[in-house]
Coordinates of all heavy atoms in Angstrom, one line a residue:
R999 N -2.7 -6.9 -7.4 CA -3.9 -6.5 -6.7 C -3.7 -6.6 -5.2 O -4.1 -5.7 -4.4 CB -5.1 -7.4 -7.0 CG -5.8 -7.0 -8.3 CD -7.1 -7.7 -8.4 NE -7.3 -8.0 -9.8 CZ -7.5 -9.2 -10.4 NH1 -7.6 -10.2 -9.6 NH2 -7.7 -9.3 -11.7
R1000 N -3.0 -7.6 -4.7 CA -2.7 -7.7 -3.3 C -1.8 -6.6 -2.8 O -1.9 -6.1 -1.7 CB -2.0 -9.1 -3.0 CG -3.0 -10.2 -2.6 CD -2.3 -11.4 -2.1 NE -1.5 -11.2 -0.9 CZ -2.0 -11.4 0.3 NH1 -3.2 -11.8 0.5 NH2 -1.2 -11.2 1.3
R1001 N -0.8 -6.2 -3.6 CA 0.0 -5.1 -3.2 C -0.7 -3.8 -3.0 O -0.4 -3.0 -2.2 CB 1.2 -4.9 -4.2 CG 2.3 -5.8 -3.9 CD 3.5 -5.3 -4.8 NE 4.7 -5.8 -4.3 CZ 5.9 -5.5 -4.7 NH1 6.0 -4.6 -5.7 NH2 7.0 -6.0 -4.2
G1002 N -1.8 -3.7 -3.9 CA -2.6 -2.5 -3.7 C -3.5 -2.5 -2.5 O -3.7 -1.5 -1.8
N1003 N -4.0 -3.7 -2.2 CA -5.0 -3.8 -1.1 C -4.3 -4.0 0.2 O -4.7 -3.4 1.2 CB -5.9 -5.0 -1.4 CG -6.8 -4.8 -2.6 OD1 -7.0 -3.7 -3.0 ND2 -7.3 -5.9 -3.1
T1004 N -3.2 -4.8 0.2 CA -2.5 -5.1 1.5 C -1.0 -4.9 1.3 O -0.3 -5.9 1.2 CB -2.9 -6.5 2.0 OG1 -2.5 -7.4 1.0 CG2 -4.3 -6.7 2.4
P1005 N -0.6 -3.7 1.2 CA 0.9 -3.5 1.0 C 1.8 -3.9 2.1 O 3.0 -4.1 1.9 CB 1.0 -2.0 0.7 CG -0.2 -1.4 1.4 CD -1.3 -2.4 1.4
L1006 N 1.2 -4.0 3.3 CA 2.1 -4.4 4.5 C 2.4 -5.9 4.5 O 3.3 -6.3 5.3 CB 1.4 -3.9 5.8 CG 1.3 -2.4 5.9 CD1 0.6 -2.1 7.2 CD2 2.6 -1.7 5.8
K1007 N 1.7 -6.7 3.8 CA 1.9 -8.1 3.8 C 3.0 -8.4 2.7 O 2.8 -9.0 1.7 CB 0.6 -8.9 3.5 CG -0.4 -8.7 4.6 CD -1.6 -9.6 4.4 CE -2.5 -9.5 5.6 NZ -3.7 -10.3 5.4
V1008 N 4.2 -8.0 3.1 CA 5.3 -8.1 2.1 C 5.7 -9.5 1.7 O 5.9 -9.8 0.6 CB 6.6 -7.3 2.7 CG1 7.7 -7.4 1.8 CG2 6.2 -5.9 3.0
F1009 N 5.8 -10.4 2.7 CA 6.2 -11.7 2.5 C 5.3 -12.5 1.6 O 5.7 -13.2 0.6 CB 6.5 -12.5 3.8 CG 7.7 -11.9 4.5 CD1 7.5 -11.4 5.8 CD2 8.9 -11.9 4.0 CE1 8.6 -10.9 6.5 CE2 10.0 -11.4 4.7 CZ 9.8 -10.9 5.9
S1010 N 4.0 -12.4 1.9 CA 3.0 -13.2 1.0 C 2.9 -12.6 -0.4 O 2.8 -13.3 -1.4 CB 1.7 -13.2 1.7 OG 1.2 -11.9 2.0
N1011 N 3.1 -11.2 -0.5 CA 3.1 -10.6 -1.8 C 4.3 -11.0 -2.6 O 4.2 -11.3 -3.8 CB 3.0 -9.1 -1.7 CG 1.7 -8.6 -1.1 OD1 0.7 -9.3 -1.2 ND2 1.7 -7.4 -0.5
E1012 N 5.4 -11.1 -2.0 CA 6.7 -11.5 -2.7 C 6.6 -13.0 -3.0 O 7.1 -13.4 -4.0 CB 7.9 -11.2 -1.8 CG 8.3 -9.8 -1.8 CD 8.7 -9.2 -3.1 OE1 9.5 -9.9 -3.8 OE2 8.4 -8.0 -3.4
A1013 N 5.9 -13.8 -2.2 CA 5.8 -15.2 -2.5 C 4.9 -15.4 -3.8 O 5.2 -16.3 -4.6 CB 5.1 -15.9 -1.3
L1014 N 3.9 -14.6 -3.9 CA 3.1 -14.7 -5.1 C 3.9 -14.3 -6.4 O 3.8 -14.9 -7.4 CB 1.8 -13.8 -5.0 CG 0.7 -14.3 -4.1 CD1 -0.4 -13.2 -4.0 CD2 0.2 -15.5 -4.7
I1015 N 4.7 -13.2 -6.2 CA 5.6 -12.8 -7.3 C 6.6 -13.9 -7.6 O 6.9 -14.2 -8.8 CB 6.3 -11.5 -7.0 CG1 5.3 -10.4 -6.9 CG2 7.4 -11.1 -8.0 CD1 5.8 -9.1 -6.3
F1016 N 7.1 -14.6 -6.6 CA 8.1 -15.7 -6.8 C 7.4 -16.8 -7.6 O 8.0 -17.4 -8.5 CB 8.6 -16.2 -5.5 CG 9.6 -17.3 -5.6 CD1 10.8 -17.1 -6.2 CD2 9.2 -18.6 -5.2 CE1 11.7 -18.1 -6.3 CE2 10.1 -19.6 -5.3 CZ 11.4 -19.4 -5.8
L1017 N 6.1 -17.1 -7.2 CA 5.4 -18.2 -8.0 C 5.2 -17.8 -9.4 O 5.3 -18.6 -10.3 CB 4.1 -18.5 -7.3 CG 4.2 -19.2 -5.9 CD1 2.8 -19.3 -5.3 CD2 4.8 -20.6 -6.1
G1018 N 5.0 -16.5 -9.6 CA 4.8 -16.0 -11.0 C 6.1 -16.1 -11.8 O 6.2 -16.5 -13.0
V1019 N 7.2 -15.8 -11.1 CA 8.6 -15.9 -11.7 C 8.9 -17.4 -12.1 O 9.3 -17.7 -13.2 CB 9.7 -15.4 -10.8 CG1 11.0 -15.8 -11.2 CG2 9.6 -13.9 -10.8
L1020 N 8.6 -18.3 -11.2 CA 8.8 -19.7 -11.5 C 7.9 -20.2 -12.7 O 8.4 -21.0 -13.5 CB 8.5 -20.6 -10.3 CG 9.5 -20.5 -9.1 CD1 9.1 -21.4 -8.0 CD2 10.9 -20.8 -9.6
S1021 N 6.7 -19.8 -12.7 CA 5.8 -20.2 -13.8 C 6.2 -19.6 -15.1 O 6.2 -20.3 -16.1 CB 4.3 -19.7 -13.5 OG 3.9 -20.2 -12.3
L1022 N 6.7 -18.4 -15.1 CA 7.3 -17.7 -16.3 C 8.5 -18.5 -16.8 O 8.7 -18.7 -18.0 CB 7.6 -16.3 -16.0 CG 8.1 -15.5 -17.2 CD1 7.0 -15.5 -18.3 CD2 8.4 -14.1 -16.8
A1023 N 9.3 -19.0 -15.8 CA 10.5 -19.7 -16.2 C 10.1 -21.0 -16.9 O 10.6 -21.4 -17.9 CB 11.4 -20.1 -15.0
G1024 N 9.0 -21.7 -16.4 CA 8.5 -22.9 -17.0 C 7.9 -22.6 -18.4 O 8.1 -23.4 -19.3
A1025 N 7.3 -21.5 -18.6 CA 6.7 -21.1 -19.9 C 7.8 -20.9 -20.9 O 7.7 -21.3 -22.0 CB 5.9 -19.8 -19.7
I1026 N 8.9 -20.3 -20.4 CA 10.1 -20.0 -21.4 C 10.7 -21.3 -21.7 O 11.1 -21.5 -22.9 CB 11.0 -19.0 -20.7 CG1 10.4 -17.6 -20.6 CG2 12.3 -18.9 -21.5 CD1 11.2 -16.6 -19.8
V1027 N 10.9 -22.2 -20.8 CA 11.5 -23.5 -21.1 C 10.6 -24.3 -22.1 O 11.1 -24.8 -23.1 CB 11.6 -24.4 -19.8 CG1 11.9 -25.8 -20.1 CG2 12.7 -23.8 -18.9
F1028 N 9.3 -24.3 -21.9 CA 8.4 -25.0 -22.9 C 8.3 -24.3 -24.2 O 8.1 -24.9 -25.2 CB 7.1 -25.3 -22.2 CG 7.1 -26.4 -21.2 CD1 6.8 -26.1 -19.9 CD2 7.5 -27.7 -21.6 CE1 6.9 -27.2 -19.0 CE2 7.5 -28.7 -20.7 CZ 7.2 -28.4 -19.4
L1029 N 8.5 -23.0 -24.2 CA 8.5 -22.2 -25.5 C 9.8 -22.7 -26.3 O 9.7 -22.9 -27.5 CB 8.6 -20.7 -25.2 CG 8.7 -19.9 -26.5 CD1 7.5 -20.0 -27.4 CD2 8.9 -18.4 -26.1
G1030 N 10.9 -22.8 -25.6 CA 12.1 -23.3 -26.3 C 11.9 -24.7 -26.8 O 12.4 -25.0 -27.9

């Protein structure tokens, strides 16, 4: 949603994606 609304805020958008990646890694670890 942020990328659609504020595409010029690259660093904060990528930070949110990075937090999603870390959370997904945690989910995969706990799935295992």
Side-chain angles (χ1 to χ4, degrees):
R999 278 194 215 124
R1000 268 187 62 94
R1001 273 192 162 187
N1003 295 338
T1004 56
L1006 296 178
K1007 294 186 176 181
V1008 178
F1009 292 118
S1010 57
N1011 292 338
E1012 287 293 322
L1014 285 174
I1015 294 170
F1016 180 69
L1017 290 172
V1019 165
L1020 289 180
S1021 300
L1022 184 59
I1026 291 170
V1027 165
F1028 285 117
L1029 176 66

